[in-house]
Amino acid sequence: MPDAEEDLRYPADLAPSLAAALHSEGFPNGDRAALKRMGISGRTPLAYWRFLLRRVPERWQGDRYRLGWRTLICALALQHQSPQDGHRPLGRALAELGFSEARLEGLLAAEARVLATLMLRAARRIAAQRVRCDWRDFAQLLFAFNDDSRERINERIARDFYHISTIKPTAA
């Protein structure tokens, strides 16, 4: 668990440290492999519980957070070395990957298990292209429990997506 737990205001604040822990040299390859295979349903590997209970403050371990943590931890485990880049927002990363508007619209409109499924699909695409991004955006989408916070993160992801996808090279 982070030393400065009191500095963490939201579950999404943990995303960078979780990414670093999962991809640290000392993290067991077998545990990472189990977390990659985990998905959002089915049997939960012991590696997940060990990781969650050691790394996530108890106040964020209730039922309300369960699907979000499962999705985020699996998504991070799918990534390659050092997946966190605080300077590349999720929307920008998706635009750079050629993520379609239809997929983005579906992702931003989805709720609960559908959202988790679509987020894992996006994470697999990010991993396949070895793109680094700010995983706090990913986590904020998963842990947005009211309409206002969900609308804020949806807007930020859309702004970042369109900012990149609408930039056209200038003719020389």
Side-chain angles (χ1 to χ4, degrees):
M1 196 172 318
D3 293 333
E5 183 180 324
E6 62 279 352
D7 293 340
L8 301 172
R9 295 182 57 207
Y10 305 103
D13 294 338
L14 279 174
S17 66
L18 296 179
L22 280 166
H23 294 281
S24 68
E25 204 170 292
F27 195 81
N29 288 332
D31 284 3
R32 191 176 309 108
L35 296 173
K36 284 180 183 182
R37 291 189 304 268
M38 179 173 62
I40 64 165
S41 61
R43 188 186 68 76
T44 305
L46 186 58
Y48 169 80
W49 295 115
R50 185 172 38 251
F51 187 76
L52 179 82
L53 295 172
R54 289 179 179 167
R55 300 280 177 178
V56 174
E58 191 173 335
R59 69 183 186 269
W60 294 327
Q61 291 181 16
D63 288 343
R64 178 181 195 190
Y65 301 97
R66 187 160 291 138
L67 182 61
W69 288 127
R70 193 173 170 117
T71 306
L72 179 63
I73 291 169
C74 180
L76 288 170
L78 290 167
Q79 304 311 305
H80 297 280
Q81 292 295 332
S82 304
Q84 173 66 20
D85 180 350
H87 300 292
R88 180 180 283 142
L90 177 62
R92 178 173 144 196
L94 293 174
E96 290 171 356
L97 290 171
F99 208 72
S100 73
E101 285 186 6
R103 285 186 192 270
L104 181 66
E105 185 169 23
L107 181 73
L108 297 181
E111 302 279 337
R113 295 179 75 75
V114 174
L115 174 63
T117 298
L118 295 178
M119 293 298 285
L120 281 182
R121 287 181 187 164
R124 285 185 181 93
R125 190 154 176 199
I126 290 168
Q129 298 297 318
R130 295 181 181 247
V131 171
R132 297 174 67 227
C133 67
D134 192 342
W135 287 90
R136 289 175 297 194
D137 293 344
F138 192 99
Q140 285 175 353
L141 191 54
L142 291 170
F143 295 115
F145 294 123
N146 64 54
D147 291 342
D148 289 340
S149 59
R150 181 62 189 266
E151 191 57 29
R152 277 193 302 276
I153 187 60
N154 281 359
E155 180 182 355
R156 190 166 72 240
I157 290 169
R159 280 182 184 275
D160 293 333
F161 180 87
Y162 286 112
H163 177 72
I164 298 304
S165 62
T166 59
I167 296 174
K168 305 275 190 247
T170 56

